[in-house]
């Protein structure tokens, strides 16, 4: 879970991209291991006119994560 006060959605996109890059780099350094690391991310944004309960934000992020996993398994989204 990452919580940030950044106002722009692009900031969250950059964080997610950096996380994917770090995992890809770790996989490249692992040599011939029989496994690869993977990461799934769900992003939820809080409105600027008042924050919903953290439970609601976590539920939204979890739903986004599961939707991305389903899309990836269907071949619609690259990891």
């Amino acid at each position: 879970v990452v919580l940030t006060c950044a106002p722009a959605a692009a900031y969250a996109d950059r964080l997610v991209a950096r996380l994917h890059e770090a995992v890809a780099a770790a996989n490249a350094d692992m040599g011939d291991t029989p496994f690869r690391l993977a990461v799934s991310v769900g992003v939820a944004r809080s409105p600027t006119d008042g924050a919903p309960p953290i439970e609601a934000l976590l539920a939204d992020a979890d739903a986004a994560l599961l939707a991305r996993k389903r899309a990836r398994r269907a071949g619609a989204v690259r990891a």
Side-chain angles (χ1 to χ4, degrees):
V1 174
V2 176
L3 301 176
T4 179
C5 297
Y11 183 78
D13 294 340
R14 285 193 304 272
L15 284 175
V16 170
R18 287 178 63 194
L19 181 58
H20 282 285
E21 290 166 6
V23 169
N27 282 333
D29 290 342
M30 293 171 66
D32 293 331
T33 58
F35 60 89
R36 292 286 178 242
L37 300 175
V39 63
S40 295
V41 178
V43 175
R45 296 207 43 187
S46 178
T48 57
D49 61 347
I54 190 70
E55 294 84 5
L57 286 173
L58 289 173
D60 289 348
D62 192 43
L65 177 144
L66 292 174
R68 183 151 177 96
K69 277 186 169 185
R70 280 190 219 99
R72 186 174 58 219
R73 286 184 190 133
V77 175
R78 207 180 89 191

